[in-house]
Amino acid sequence: MKKECLPLKNEEIIQQLNLEQKCALLSGETVFTTRGYKKAGIPSITLSDGPNGVRKQAGAADHLGLNPSVPATCFPTAATVACSWDPALGEQIGQAMGEEAAAQEVSVLLGPGLNTKRSPLCGRNFEYFSEDPYLSGKMAAGYVRGIQSEGISACPKHFAVNSQELRRMASDSVVDERSLRELYLTGFEIVVKEAHPKTIMSSYNLINGTYANENAHLLQDILRKDWGFDGAVVTDWGGSNDHALGVKNGSTLEMPAPGGDAVRELLKAVETGKITEADVDARLDELLTLVFDTHAAVENHSREFDADAHHALARRAAAESTVLLKNEEGLLPLAAGTRVAVIGDFAETPRYQGAGSSAVNSIKVDTFLECLKESGLNSVGFATGFDRQGKPDAAKKAEAAALATKADVVLLCLGLDEIKESEGLDRTDMKLADNQIELLQAVQQANPNTVVVLSAGASLETPWLTHCKALVYGALGGQAGAGAMVDVLTGKVNPSGKLAETWANAYEHTPAKDNFAGKGRTVQYREGLYVGYRYYQTAGVPVAFPFGYGLSYTSFAYSDLKADAHSVTLTVKNTGNRAGSEIVQLYIAKPDAKVFRPAQELKAFAKVQLAAGESKTVTLTLDDKAFRYWNTKTDSWEVEGGSYEIRVGASSADIRLTAVVEVAGTEAPNPYAGKSLPHYESGKVQSVPDAEWETLMGCLIPEDKVRIDRNMTLGELNHSRSPICWLVWLVLHTLLTASYKRGKPDLNVMFQYNMPLRALAKMTNGAISMGMVDGIVMEAKGFWIIGLCRVIVEAVKNVILNVQLEGRLRNS
Ligand code: BGC
């Protein structure tokens, strides 16, 4: 049936297909490929992870990074490159990754990830840029421009409010509309409007009771209508809950390969009027545009790339992202010939990327020990120093302390081990392992000239800071990160990175400490707007290292600030005696605001390179996001009129220049007039009472209890009423506990533990149908016999229907 109302770009092709063929095209054929349809000239395309390098699986494919992939360059992760505050660098990395992807015949590269870091404990923070949406959005836009310059598609993810790994496929992020818009969506808005990604990945979670992938507010009202996105929305792997609702509400392609069941679901939905054929056509049109566009680019692309050049880029990127957090007595940089003792397991076996779907099979991996050989430093020896899995080891500690006495300076490589940072699990604390802290103390006693070289993709508590003279944060530096670190330590590169997230003094100080990651299915975002520095600075909570902080081997002076409501200029001078780069940050504040807001917010930044003694004029533009706030009364962006402070500085806590500008307002009514919101007015949001949060939300707190339904997770099966389900839970729980004890994350088990029952039908390539899942749900409800019978009947039905369907698709 033809729909006159749709201006379809691919109308001619769509007309050649029957409804079943159309529906079939809207889900994947294998874990990482779409269905093709040769007769209509529709090719199949490949989608591959990921955010810091290509992970194309040539053999058995999975979405957790378990099976090996084709070798590719492993760039520093997003959390690292964010510290460069340099979208142009992001663009160069994106371009290199796009080149490698296209060379490997990948049409869609699944990244960058740009979720706002709500809590330091999110296990995937290493894959995300920042706690600030403006910085995240600008960095991600750079990546997307770079990736897409090769003709393929980037796929920013995970849209949206995906802030944790616990129950990641079935947790409901309950967040007020203003925080949703200002904090969790602004980064995506920037990337969509400024870099025009051809695809975007919807997240696993629900937002205010509706799955992101079938959320009309998110995908239609905001993404497509407000922001003008005209590309394809791809589900996260297994993230489709109700495929038909997804299609109706703007989700284009269900991944990975749900099999015939998903096709039948759509057919039935059209027959029953749940969705229309026009909905299917609209999604198919988006998909075909993507397929033709990127397939042509891939076909015409060279199969070669310069691996050495990409390694060099990865090294430069890591060096430009390294943050010097402490440098007492100017201990760094180290002069050639300095006698150094190298201590720490990470010097030999680097921690340079995170675990999970982003894990790249690196072309080569530099180690600190190897790179040191060409540094001009004089190594007196190496000691592993500690057990990587955290076991106390007095002999290793003693050996390290003895070695430390022989050197001028100790380079002590510490960090988080593999179990701490992985897709599929959140961290349980922000601590460095006790055995590493004890080692640091022993080494410092042996030699006070101790430099800590830190590998971690997320912030840490640093009560041990007094035990080192210098602290250099290399984050997760990618395959060439070790060389970059050596370049910084020796002064070949003058560090210029600045933190893209605040380092709190203690986890207990973080704003979401009581609500992360939720006790049940709903996760309460009670802290509202006050995430990261927005919280610490408004509530007056001291931190270890503020957002935007980072030292250099030189110094910079700021002067001559001139500002109006559109643009700001100032002069930055390098007042030291070596070349360096400074990241100039602009925050906006409105101390007399009537509509509550954080004490200050980042609204512009620039990185400026200066030779020793050189001065440059820096111009910062204030865009449409500079003064706006989301008004829940008018349901639109508004500006409160009056005077605003422009604060320019070297970090969020080191403001060097201020000016006041007058801004015309939009005269909207104050949405909070007459409401009692004292915690939100003061920013002291760690313990917002129920009633106040309900006032902010404009609704009652949703009920949170385990329900026995398709979305019950396997980790919740102990709440079921079936011995078989209890057994499954027991097995999984035992395996999970054992993997924690081993100190190595078992991603498969972790994934299954947090997986809802319905995902069985979404991730088994058609082997399990939703009917079978409904049988399992009956079983879990205590209808043991009927449940089991239903599973068996549905299984037989599924096999027959799948064979028939695949036959029809092949022969039609
Ligand atoms: C992750 C995505 C990833 C996908 C495919 C999912 O588990 O959340 O980020 O792109 O798998 O591997």
Side-chain angles (χ1 to χ4, degrees):
M1 200 194 358
K2 193 175 154 236
K3 299 280 166 311
E4 312 82 354
C5 52
L6 289 177
L8 298 175
K9 289 188 197 148
N10 305 287
E11 187 158 8
E12 256 179 51
I13 295 173
I14 293 176
Q15 273 177 16
Q16 294 171 35
L17 305 170
N18 64 35
L19 184 59
E20 188 170 69
Q21 291 161 338
K22 294 184 201 177
C23 293
L25 286 163
L26 295 185
S27 51
E29 180 160 42
T30 71
V31 180
F32 286 112
T33 58
T34 62
R35 286 180 189 266
Y37 189 53
K38 277 211 182 103
K39 283 187 193 157
I42 302 170
S44 154
I45 60 167
T46 299
L47 305 89
S48 284
D49 285 300
N52 51 273
V54 184
R55 184 177 71 95
K56 184 183 177 191
Q57 287 177 312
D62 69 275
H63 71 115
L64 295 173
L66 301 172
N67 295 316
S69 52
V70 178
T73 308
C74 178
F75 289 93
T77 76
T80 313
V81 183
C83 298
S84 74
W85 293 57
D86 188 355
L89 176 64
E91 190 165 339
Q92 289 164 31
I93 295 172
Q95 191 266 326
M97 293 197 306
E99 192 187 345
E100 293 191 21
Q104 293 187 16
E105 298 179 70
V106 170
S107 283
V108 179
L109 192 60
L110 303 171
L114 68 147
N115 292 97
T116 303
K117 296 182 192 191
R118 176 186 180 222
S119 165
L121 296 192
C122 170
R124 284 183 97 171
N125 273 358
F126 69 87
E127 276 190 66
Y128 304 143
F129 292 103
S130 176
E131 66 189 24
D132 182 87
Y134 187 82
L135 179 56
S136 296
K138 291 285 177 184
M139 291 303 301
Y143 274 73
V144 171
R145 277 192 294 270
I147 293 168
Q148 297 198 159
S149 69
E150 296 292 313
I152 64 161
S153 171
C155 187
K157 63 191 186 183
H158 309 88
F159 190 58
V161 211
N162 186 194
S163 320
Q164 65 187 60
E165 292 301 284
L166 185 71
R167 276 180 229 95
R168 65 180 188 152
M169 295 180 88
S171 76
D172 184 3
S173 304
V174 181
V175 58
D176 67 280
E177 185 70 19
R178 181 173 172 203
S179 306
L180 174 71
R181 301 275 186 158
E182 293 185 23
L183 266 190
Y184 297 99
L185 297 187
T186 293
F188 285 99
E189 178 185 357
I190 293 172
V191 85
V192 166
K193 288 185 176 168
E194 296 184 11
H196 311 289
K198 296 174 207 217
T199 62
I200 195 163
M201 187 188 291
S202 58
S203 57
Y204 281 135
N205 52 287
L206 303 92
I207 301 168
N208 295 329
T210 307
Y211 274 99
N213 187 59
E214 58 202 49
N215 196 313
H217 182 50
L218 190 72
L219 301 185
Q220 295 290 26
D221 302 345
I222 299 176
L223 177 65
R224 294 192 188 274
K225 292 193 193 117
D226 286 4
W227 302 347
F229 177 77
D230 62 355
V233 174
V234 180
T235 70
D236 199 345
W237 268 230
S240 165
N241 170 54
D242 183 320
H243 188 29
L245 281 185
V247 165
K248 182 183 166 82
N249 293 328
S251 172
T252 314
L253 176 67
E254 169 169 351
M255 291 303 287
D261 204 38
V263 183
R264 292 189 288 277
E265 184 187 342
L266 285 190
L267 280 171
K268 187 165 170 216
V270 175
E271 272 162 29
T272 57
K274 182 173 175 182
I275 63 172
T276 65
E277 190 168 350
D279 293 326
V280 174
D281 288 351
R283 299 293 85 84
L284 187 56
D285 198 37
E286 291 152 13
L287 181 74
L288 292 180
T289 303
L290 171 78
V291 167
F292 291 130
D293 190 8
T294 59
H295 184 257
V298 162
E299 287 289 282
N300 297 326
H301 201 277
S302 152
R303 296 285 163 262
E304 312 283 321
F305 61 87
D306 185 342
D308 290 338
H310 289 187
H311 188 76
L313 170 62
R315 180 165 177 156
R316 178 161 64 81
E320 286 181 22
S321 307
T322 301
V323 189
L324 180 63
L325 289 173
K326 180 175 179 182
N327 192 16
E328 245 174 45
E329 299 165 19
L331 182 59
L332 297 176
L334 301 175
T338 306
R339 287 177 311 137
V340 293
V342 183
I343 299 172
D345 197 23
F346 298 109
E348 196 171 36
T349 311
R351 208 31 255 299
Y352 65 99
Q353 63 173 332
S357 63
S358 67
V360 175
N361 179 9
S362 313
I363 293 176
K364 61 173 178 176
V365 183
D366 290 344
T367 70
F368 191 70
L369 280 181
E370 279 301 312
C371 292
L372 217 57
K373 290 184 183 155
E374 285 139 35
S375 66
L377 299 174
N378 182 2
S379 172
V380 300
F382 166 68
T384 46
F386 61 87
D387 170 81
R388 203 169 177 114
Q389 265 78 51
K391 268 191 252 123
D393 191 325
K396 281 188 175 160
K397 194 166 73 175
E399 182 203 3
L403 180 66
T405 58
K406 298 188 185 142
D408 302 325
V409 173
V410 179
L411 300 177
L412 180 55
C413 299
L414 305 179
L416 294 177
D417 66 61
E418 285 72 12
I419 185 81
K420 295 280 186 199
E421 295 181 279
S422 171
E423 175 173 344
L425 93 162
D426 295 315
R427 289 197 291 167
T428 49
D429 59 47
M430 285 173 62
K431 297 185 194 311
L432 193 62
D434 283 345
N435 66 336
Q436 294 191 36
I437 299 177
E438 281 156 22
L439 172 70
L440 167 61
Q441 286 163 343
V443 165
Q444 183 225 10
Q445 268 175 18
N447 187 338
N449 286 336
T450 296
V451 177
V452 170
V453 170
L454 195 62
S455 305
S459 61
L460 291 171
E461 290 169 4
T462 51
W464 40 264
L465 190 64
T466 46
H467 296 290
C468 60
K469 270 196 189 158
L471 171 59
V472 194
Y473 176 53
L476 297 180
Q479 67 177 42
M485 182 54 74
V486 170
D487 292 343
V488 167
L489 294 173
T490 55
K492 191 169 167 195
V493 170
N494 187 352
S496 59
K498 305 229 182 187
L499 293 178
E501 67 175 314
T502 311
W503 286 35
N505 273 318
Y507 178 66
E508 289 61 42
H509 295 184
T510 63
K513 66 158 175 88
D514 287 338
N515 299 313
F516 183 88
K519 292 180 182 62
R521 279 193 196 177
T522 60
V523 184
Q524 305 185 350
Y525 283 55
R526 284 195 193 215
E527 70 284 355
L529 288 176
Y530 298 99
V531 164
Y533 71 89
R534 285 170 167 75
Y535 168 67
Y536 303 109
Q537 296 191 331
T538 312
V541 178
V543 298
F545 296 110
F547 176 76
Y549 177 83
L551 302 169
S552 164
Y553 297 148
T554 185
S555 51
F556 302 96
Y558 289 57
S559 62
D560 302 332
L561 180 68
K562 294 190 188 66
D564 62 30
H566 306 287
S567 136
V568 173
T569 61
L570 68 145
T571 303
V572 182
K573 181 171 185 194
N574 181 344
T575 50
N577 54 12
R578 63 167 69 217
S581 296
E582 173 69 328
I583 295 162
V584 178
Q585 301 158 42
L586 185 156
Y587 297 84
I588 279 193
K590 185 159 180 50
D592 64 349
K594 302 242 166 357
V595 177
F596 72 76
R597 57 195 299 148
Q600 60 177 20
E601 293 178 285
L602 180 78
K603 297 296 176 176
F605 59 88
K607 187 165 189 165
V608 46
Q609 275 179 7
L610 295 163
E614 190 186 7
S615 295
K616 272 188 190 160
T617 302
V618 179
T619 302
L620 299 160
T621 305
L622 295 172
D623 62 17
D624 60 324
K625 291 162 198 77
F627 303 103
R628 72 180 195 180
Y629 74 93
W630 183 259
N631 186 311
T632 45
K633 207 162 206 168
T634 62
D635 242 348
S636 57
W637 293 107
E638 304 287 356
V639 174
E640 185 178 336
S643 49
Y644 284 77
E645 227 179 82
I646 306 287
R647 302 179 175 179
V648 178
S651 88
S652 63
D654 183 10
I655 300 301
R656 306 284 182 87
L657 302 167
T658 60
V660 173
V661 297
E662 289 302 314
V663 177
T666 49
E667 307 299 336
N670 184 340
Y672 309 118
K675 293 182 179 166
S676 171
L677 296 163
H679 293 79
Y680 295 106
E681 272 149 23
S682 65
K684 297 192 168 141
V685 290
Q686 270 195 334
S687 49
V688 176
D690 289 357
E692 188 175 339
W693 188 47
E694 287 180 340
T695 305
L696 181 78
M697 293 277 296
C699 64
L700 296 178
I701 297 173
E703 191 193 22
D704 189 5
K705 61 173 189 192
V706 177
R707 281 183 297 269
I708 305 179
D709 58 16
R710 286 177 176 183
N711 277 310
M712 175 176 222
T713 62
L714 303 196
E716 289 169 342
L717 283 178
N718 55 334
H719 293 274
S720 72
R721 294 181 210 120
S722 146
I724 301 182
C725 295
W726 297 335
L727 190 67
V728 172
W729 179 86
L730 193 69
V731 170
L732 274 178
H733 193 76
T734 312
L735 289 174
L736 192 66
T737 317
S739 92
Y740 273 101
K741 281 203 185 122
R742 276 199 309 276
K744 231 183 159 24
D746 187 330
L747 289 177
N748 234 345
V749 177
M750 260 172 337
F751 182 78
Q752 284 158 16
Y753 199 77
N754 286 316
M755 182 174 96
L757 292 173
R758 61 144 166 103
L760 294 171
K762 296 296 183 186
M763 310 202 67
T764 46
N765 210 356
I768 297 180
S769 69
M770 209 51 105
M772 292 163 72
V773 169
D774 288 338
I776 298 172
V777 172
M778 288 179 85
E779 173 73 32
K781 281 185 172 162
F783 302 102
W784 307 341
I785 310 288
I786 311 179
L788 209 62
C789 292
R790 174 139 192 219
V791 173
I792 295 165
V793 171
E794 292 288 346
V796 175
K797 210 165 109 190
N798 187 45
V799 171
I800 298 170
L801 291 176
N802 280 351
V803 170
Q804 290 172 344
L805 175 81
E806 292 303 333
R808 279 197 303 279
L809 289 176
R810 251 194 323 273
N811 299 326
S812 59

